[in-house]
Structures are given as C-alpha cells and as structure tokens.
Amino acid sequence: MPESAKIGGNLLTWYDAQARVLPWRVPPNSEQRAEPYHVWLSEIMLQQTTVAAVKPYFEAFTRRWPDVAALAAARDEDVLAAWAGLGYYARARNLLKCARVVAQSGFPTDEAGLLALPGIGPYTAAAIAAIAYGVPAVVMDGNIERVMARLFDEREALPAVKPKLKARAAGLTPAKRAGDHAQALMDLGATICIPKAPRCERCPLQAHCVSFKAGVAAELPKRLPKKPKPTRQGVAYFARRADGHVLLETRPPKGLLGGMLGLVGSDWTEETPVFDPPFAAQWQRHTKDITHVFTHFNLNLTLYVAEIKAANPRAGSFMPAPAPSDLPSIMRKAYEAGFLICDIDCGAKLGQYGKNRGPKSG
DNA sequence: CAGTCGTGGAG
DNA sequence: TCTCCAAGACT
C-alpha cells in the first residue's frame, strides 16, 4: 500500500471518530449528502472567518432564508444588515449576485461551473464540489496549506510555495469520500495541526510527518515578513432628531464597508481630517475617540454628536433608528456611543430603535 | 504579484 | 497590550 493511501486511511479513521459537529455539516461516512445551499452559504461565510463567528450567522440566515430561492428574493439591504458584523462585505454582495443566478439554474455540480460564480474562487469551488457532490477536487485552504507544509516539511515561504503544497494535497486526495477527506484535513488543521504549538502527540499522521521527525513542525509554514500597519484618522457625526430619527448613509456599493449603513463623516486618511459637519448645529465632541482595527490599517475615529429639531444634511438622511446590529462593527461602535452621549441607554432597551429593519439581538 | 477588504478570539 | 490570523476573492 502506498504511503499516500496509508495517510488518507489514517485521516478518515480519525475523522470518523473526531469530526466536529457543525450546523452545515452531515456526519462523516453518512448516507445523506449535505445540502448544496448549506455548503455554499457556510463556505462563503467561513472565508477568512472563524467557525465560532460564523455559527450564529449561518443559523440566522438559514432560518430567515431557508433555500437559495428565498435568499435570491430577499432585499439587498436586508441581507447586508443580516451580514453586518461578519466583515468582508463584498461577500454579502456577491452572495446575492450568486443566489440570483443559482435560483434560476441550480448549483453547478462541477468545479469549473462553480468557479464561474460571483464570490466563488478556487478554494470554495473545490470545497463545494467535494463536500456537496463528492467530486475528488483538490481543496486548498489555509489549514490544508499548513498541514501539507508540515507533513512534507516544505520550508519555502508562502505564498511562493503554494503550488508545491497543492501538488502534495493532490497526491493525497482520494477518489472516494473526497468531501470527508477535505473536511478531515481542515478539522485536523483547526484542532491538532494548529498554527502555534501544534498538538503532535494527538495527531493521526504523526508517523508520516516529516517536519515532526525533524522537530520543526511548529515553525511551518514559513511566511514572508508583513508590512507595518498604518494608523488612519477620521471624523464621524452622530445626529439625532427630535422625532428619534438618526442621520445615516448607505455607503457606496464598492470599497470599504461597501453598501453598508454608516455614520456620515470624513474620509479616513493618515492626515488629520478637518471638522466639516453635514449641517450647522451645536456639535459636541465625544471625549473618548473610537478605535478600530482593520486588516491593513488602524483607525482612530473622532465622534461628534448633535441633538436637533430639524436639519437639512448635505450627506446621508434621517431615518428611523436601526438596530445597532444592522451596522458594521466600527459603525456600530460609533452609533452606540452616539446614543450614550445622548444619555439614552440603548444597550438595554431595543425598543428605542425603529422596527423598520427588523432588529436582531445585540 | 501585491494590495484591498473586517472582525474578534487566542495566547 | 500586542501579535497572530481564520474554510479567500477580487483587482
């Protein structure tokens, strides 16, 4: 028996006993196949996002939109509000685009067809093909890259070494149970072959692991040094009208937080922004600036607050107050701070918020 | 290829 | 407090 078959066998045996129970997953080696809609939705949500963060969103989405036709028929703003807090909002925009294609023709069952859909790249296409349709696709994500780098002691740095790692993974991919195989590798990477301090004592592949033998597993995979993260500054304006309406805008459909609700404010730059409110009023400066960490910059946001009877803003519009959970996290921070400054306990009494956007808990 | 694009949990 | 980084896609 070739080495690759032994590795695959050990892996599936381990998975049959140790597979994580997840809402979008069927038990290993089971007769039933996972719903393509559930596989697709979970895979999109899981892009660069932890399982723990995804779970409640997956439950909420599938409860509210039980199938792809229901999602395709949803209003854009409802889906974006439901996605708020999960990050990488282009995923939600592409999710809708994709749903509206798939609702007509159904999900493609092959990798190439899936790859052609919005928001589905090489990883997700392979994962859906393998998990939902049993296609022996070579699934490559961050977990599997790490497992391959360690198993075969590949010491060149990412991302240059990726093709080599994919070739290694291809050599392990079985013709049968391809979905279980891919999920087994990801579970192994998430629970045993973790980035720091890998639990090699409990690894079903230890006997085959070249980097373990060499004592360097924890140092792999190598990565290129990362660039320093700049700090940007910005100004945001929270305005509450006497009737309870608040000033918000829908951000431009592309770019940072594209399509999401947010406070009106300046651009975020490394230069100090000027105070330039959307209308003249008694603006009160928030004493404590709001900080937030994005992937490629830190943000320091200065919040100004005004309570007014009426105003004609140059940007955004007054609307019934949405639930804070309808806003992306940085905007939710500023929004909740605005209410607090207005001396309103917005955390405990969701009743203050309008019902127009179907407030979630939080 | 390298930059853009969020967020929060873990150590 | 700080660093790392998670089931990546798109330009």
Side-chain angles (χ1 to χ4, degrees):
Chain A
M1 179 181 286
E3 177 93 353
S4 61
K6 291 182 188 170
I7 292 173
N10 287 358
L11 185 65
L12 283 175
T13 299
W14 173 82
Y15 185 68
D16 287 342
Q18 305 294 332
R20 288 178 290 175
V21 176
L22 301 172
W24 47 85
R25 181 183 272 186
V26 297
N29 222 353
S30 62
E31 299 301 317
Q32 49 176 332
R33 192 90 91 189
E35 279 290 329
Y37 173 61
H38 291 172
V39 176
W40 164 70
L41 179 60
S42 66
E43 290 300 344
I44 300 298
M45 289 182 166
L46 285 162
Q47 290 167 3
Q48 295 292 288
T49 309
T50 58
V51 164
V54 165
K55 275 182 181 171
Y57 283 84
F58 178 85
E59 304 279 16
F61 267 67
T62 51
R63 188 167 54 244
R64 186 166 176 185
W65 299 293
D67 52 47
V68 70
L71 184 59
R75 299 189 315 178
D76 291 36
E77 56 267 39
D78 289 339
V79 173
L80 289 177
W83 195 278
L86 199 54
Y88 285 142
Y89 298 100
R91 292 184 295 173
R93 303 192 298 270
N94 285 330
L95 188 80
L96 268 169
K97 284 186 198 166
C98 185
R100 287 166 184 164
V101 172
V102 169
Q104 297 302 316
S105 48
F107 282 100
T109 60
D110 66 296
E111 229 179 316
L114 289 160
L115 190 57
L117 292 167
I120 298 183
Y123 160 73
T124 306
I128 297 173
I131 297 169
Y133 300 111
V135 175
V138 182
V139 179
M140 282 304 292
D141 77 324
N143 285 308
I144 301 180
E145 283 176 3
R146 184 171 58 255
V147 172
M148 293 304 135
R150 288 173 173 170
L151 189 54
F152 297 103
D153 198 3
E154 298 286 358
R155 301 191 185 185
E156 299 156 76
L158 288 170
V161 74
K162 277 189 180 185
K164 222 170 266 186
L165 299 178
K166 179 157 187 177
R168 293 295 198 180
L172 291 184
T173 303
K176 296 177 180 176
R177 297 192 66 188
D180 282 351
H181 175 81
Q183 293 178 95
L185 283 174
M186 291 189 279
D187 275 22
L188 189 72
T191 64
I192 305 286
C193 197
I194 53 182
K196 308 168 191 175
R199 297 159 180 150
C200 300
E201 343 54 71
R202 294 161 44 185
C203 181
L205 306 186
Q206 189 199 95
H208 304 276
C209 186
V210 182
S211 75
F212 174 76
K213 210 160 299 178
V216 298
E219 302 164 29
L220 299 178
K222 302 280 190 190
R223 293 178 188 279
L224 256 36
K226 20 182 278 187
K227 290 185 57 179
K229 187 176 289 192
T231 296
R232 299 183 187 173
Q233 303 180 66
V235 172
Y237 306 94
F238 177 89
R240 191 168 70 99
R241 212 167 58 182
D243 64 359
H245 287 206
V246 293
L247 180 65
L248 292 171
E249 67 174 359
T250 299
R251 296 173 62 85
K254 296 188 176 195
L256 192 66
L257 310 178
M260 302 299 291
L261 279 179
L263 272 63
V264 170
S266 69
D267 289 339
W268 301 338
T269 67
E270 294 184 46
E271 282 77 52
T272 304
V274 295
F275 176 74
D276 182 26
F279 55 84
Q282 298 276 345
W283 290 96
Q284 177 190 348
R285 187 183 183 287
H286 190 11
T287 53
K288 181 184 162 206
D289 285 357
I290 296 164
T291 61
H292 196 71
V293 179
F294 290 94
T295 304
H296 54 295
F297 65 93
N298 302 308
L299 177 66
N300 197 328
L301 196 60
T302 302
L303 182 66
Y304 287 86
V305 174
E307 291 187 85
I308 44 89
K309 291 182 179 173
N312 288 312
R314 288 186 286 102
S317 58
F318 284 91
M319 61 180 74
S325 59
D326 286 359
L327 276 58
S329 293
I330 172 58
M331 293 300 178
R332 180 178 52 75
K333 286 184 191 176
Y335 182 68
E336 291 184 325
F339 272 100
L340 285 174
I341 291 174
C342 290
D343 203 16
I344 294 173
D345 180 7
C346 61
K349 303 176 189 170
L350 275 179
Q352 314 165 43
Y353 302 109
K355 309 292 188 193
N356 59 319
R357 300 182 67 90
K360 296 177 290 186
S361 64

